[in-house]
Amino acid sequence: MKLDAQLPFVTALLFIISILFPLLPEIPLPVSEGRLVSWIENGQALWLFFGAVFTLSWIKPWRLTSGQKAFWLWSVAWWVVLLGRSTSWGRVYFPDEPRLIFRAISVVLIAALVLPVLLSGVLRRELAQRFRQETFPLWTVLLVVITFMFSDAVEHHRLIASLVLYDPRDQDLLEELYEIPFMLGLFIIAFGMMQRDKATEIRITK
């Protein structure tokens, strides 16, 4: 794996904002925490939907090599799975529907991630090749990992949650806040890879 140790401005800004998250509940807000959490959740769902649509429409995987095509379609599936998980597989918007429906949705979406890796040698080779040759932005990867760890810790009451969660009543808000830089960081990493694939496609067509 190759790492780019440069610190992009956007990543640095997200790090600073993330450090300030524990202080946000202490600031008087014009709306209740419950409503703010709902707004953040809806915004995250829109962002994840945007990630899937943007990836599919901007990179146009059907124009790329078979390996790149498999990888980017698999990436779109990741965005859709994250969207499903963030909305409890749709239960957030349709709470009165039978739980079996949402369980079926989760099984189908997770299968869309797992089965291609198990069944497609093309995808496995592409993943291995990218892991060896792709240049990953070190600080953005760290941002994604750290904010995911804190979001998960706050949600599941893990030990490190005490570093950022000072009042149990702020649990939902802190969890959703730390998911914001996590999702933005994922997009930054993915978009960098898309740009490099796009540049390679342009050079080949010329």
Side-chain angles (χ1 to χ4, degrees):
M1 180 187 296
K2 303 175 184 178
L3 296 173
D4 181 358
Q6 291 184 335
L7 178 59
F9 172 77
V10 174
T11 300
L13 182 62
L14 290 173
F15 263 119
I16 294 171
I17 294 173
S18 299
I19 292 172
L20 299 176
F21 281 157
L23 304 178
L24 185 61
E26 306 301 323
I27 301 173
L29 300 173
V31 296
S32 66
E33 277 197 17
R35 178 169 293 185
L36 181 59
V37 167
S38 178
W39 288 352
I40 294 173
E41 288 176 336
N42 290 332
Q44 290 173 351
L46 288 173
W47 177 256
L48 293 170
F49 179 75
F50 166 78
V53 173
F54 181 86
T55 301
L56 195 62
S57 60
W58 196 85
I59 193 65
K60 295 181 175 60
W62 51 87
R63 295 184 178 181
L64 304 176
T65 65
S66 58
Q68 291 172 325
K69 177 181 178 180
F71 175 78
W72 287 114
L73 290 177
W74 187 67
S75 299
V76 170
W78 263 108
W79 287 114
V80 175
V81 169
L82 290 173
L83 171 60
R85 177 63 185 85
S86 74
T87 61
S88 296
W89 314 110
R91 191 182 300 122
V92 169
Y93 300 115
F94 304 99
D96 298 326
E97 298 300 322
R99 293 176 64 88
L100 181 62
I101 294 177
F102 307 116
R103 180 64 60 83
I105 292 173
S106 68
V107 170
V108 170
L109 292 181
I110 293 173
L113 282 183
V114 176
L115 291 181
V117 177
L118 296 177
L119 302 178
S120 173
V122 172
L123 177 58
R124 290 197 301 273
R125 286 191 295 272
E126 183 70 16
L127 289 172
Q129 180 177 329
R130 284 181 182 272
F131 189 78
R132 291 193 304 267
Q133 299 181 1
E134 193 73 54
T135 300
F136 294 94
L138 173 62
W139 290 103
T140 309
V141 171
L142 287 176
L143 172 75
V144 168
V145 172
I146 292 171
T147 53
F148 173 78
M149 287 176 57
F150 277 117
S151 175
D152 179 74
V154 170
E155 179 183 7
H156 296 102
H157 308 283
R158 306 193 196 283
L159 183 61
I160 64 171
S162 61
L163 298 174
V164 295
L165 181 62
Y166 309 137
D167 188 334
R169 292 174 296 182
D170 300 324
Q171 176 183 345
D172 291 341
L173 178 59
L174 264 294
E175 176 195 341
E176 299 303 328
L177 286 174
Y178 278 107
E179 287 181 354
I180 294 173
F182 164 72
M183 294 177 184
L184 292 175
L186 281 180
F187 183 83
I188 292 170
I189 295 170
F191 185 60
M193 297 170 67
M194 281 190 275
Q195 287 179 308
R196 289 188 287 274
D197 279 8
K198 198 82 166 182
T200 300
E201 178 197 6
I202 292 174
R203 285 198 300 269
I204 292 174
T205 54
K206 286 183 178 180

